[in-house]
Amino acid sequence: MKDADTMQLRWLAAQGVAREAGALARRRFEDSSFKVGFKGPQDYITEVDGETEDLIASRLHEAFPGDGFIGEETAGRPTPAGGAVWVVDPIDGTANFARGIPHFCVSIACVREGVIEVGVIYDPVRDELFAGRRGHGAFLNGAPMRVSDATSLAKSSVEVGWNLRAGAAKYLDLLRRVALWGASPFRTGSGALGLAYVAAGRRDGYVEQHINAWDCLAAILLVTEAGGYVSDFLANDGLTKGNPLIACAPGVKEALVSAVEIDGIAL
Ligand code: IPD
């Protein structure tokens, strides 16, 4: 089978697995009897994260046994040289999930030789499936997505992703800069959905001082395929260490990049 055909199979499989995993997460969210803990300060984990990741890992392994796997909650499987690697966040927006807030998603990306080939995000509460394949477009429940036509930060809404990995002072500075340049800042607690909303034209930009690959890879492909700008997340070992990130509509790229001035970001 040709390479392009196997990637098409991965794209279809990722959509089915995201829906199945999302249905499991939604059922468990609704019965709300799961255990909640912390991996670190403000870093929530629930037992459903592990259950959902196990389901995704086993489905993908059954279908593509030679592929590598990097999941938020488990150790990665070795990646064959030149092979495809799945990068998975079973529940992005875990803090929302843990506190009964219906804003979370499953995020599944497939990367090969440093290039994101497939990106799928499923929001099981709204039944919204965001799916993109490199060179083939990005779709929301089957309809093509386009980033917004914003040209001014003063009319833009920008999500400012938050975690404590880069420190509270850096977060406040980023937030200050976004607000001072006139954009309306948001923080909704799911980086993957925040970025998917940029792809769908619901927000004009997303910025974060440090984000991990499982939170953003699928969405990066969606934004790119929907005509948006994304900084070079995979530079300097972003796949394993994470990186800063800027994603936005092309009309506000120049203004947003100079507004936020993130140190060490690969543009
Ligand atoms: C977090 C969320 C949050 C983002 C953080 C992530 P999690 O992931 O996506 O919005 O700002 O960088 O760590 O813990 O919900 O999977």
Side-chain angles (χ1 to χ4, degrees):
M1 197 181 286
K2 282 196 273 166
D3 255 14
D5 297 336
T6 62
M7 206 42 83
Q8 178 70 8
L9 289 181
R10 287 187 179 88
W11 191 50
L12 297 173
Q15 294 176 60
V17 173
R19 279 190 184 280
E20 187 184 356
L24 166 66
R26 182 176 173 158
R27 265 196 318 278
R28 299 287 274 120
F29 178 75
E30 282 167 354
D31 79 25
S32 72
S33 61
F34 48 83
K35 289 198 195 100
V36 177
F38 286 89
K39 294 188 274 187
Q42 296 290 356
D43 194 3
Y44 279 87
I45 173 94
T46 75
E47 62 184 335
V48 188
D49 293 74
E51 289 166 18
T52 309
E53 185 159 313
D54 288 349
L55 173 75
I56 297 169
S58 74
R59 291 287 186 267
L60 293 176
H61 186 60
E62 276 160 30
F64 308 100
D67 288 0
F69 184 89
I70 299 173
E72 177 171 14
E73 311 305 341
T74 52
R77 240 196 326 264
T79 305
V85 190
W86 295 97
V87 183
V88 169
D89 192 347
I91 298 180
D92 186 65
T94 304
N96 288 339
F97 185 93
R99 305 296 301 272
I101 299 167
H103 189 75
F104 56 87
C105 64
V106 174
S107 175
I108 302 179
C110 186
V111 189
R112 189 169 52 190
E113 291 171 6
V115 178
I116 312 168
E117 297 283 352
V118 163
V120 173
I121 291 176
Y122 182 55
D123 171 347
V125 174
R126 298 178 183 86
D127 191 24
E128 289 191 324
L129 184 79
F130 303 84
R133 194 183 151 200
R134 185 172 69 89
H136 293 73
F139 305 86
L140 168 50
N141 288 346
M145 288 194 289
R146 236 21 237 169
V147 293
S148 80
D149 57 6
T151 52
S152 148
L153 283 185
K155 292 182 190 153
S156 293
S157 60
V158 174
E159 176 140 3
V160 186
W162 176 85
N163 63 77
L164 286 176
R165 292 184 295 272
K170 282 199 167 179
Y171 181 75
L172 288 175
D173 188 47
L174 190 58
L175 188 61
R176 186 180 139 270
R177 286 169 178 278
V178 168
L180 278 176
W181 280 64
S184 169
F186 285 80
R187 196 235 159 197
T188 63
S190 164
L193 279 181
L195 285 156
Y197 283 15
V198 174
R202 293 173 177 174
R203 298 242 190 268
D204 308 298
Y206 184 97
V207 292
E208 187 157 350
Q209 282 283 359
H210 178 273
I211 188 163
N212 285 310
W214 43 80
D215 296 317
C216 67
L217 274 200
I220 286 174
L221 182 69
L222 297 174
V223 174
T224 309
E225 288 294 320
Y229 162 76
V230 186
S231 55
D232 185 359
F233 176 81
L234 287 172
N236 311 317
D237 218 0
L239 183 62
T240 55
K241 295 187 180 145
N243 255 328
L245 187 70
I246 300 175
C248 60
V252 291
K253 175 197 164 188
E254 215 176 303
L256 190 59
V257 166
S258 38
V260 296
E261 277 183 17
I262 298 180
D263 286 344
I265 192 165
L267 296 171

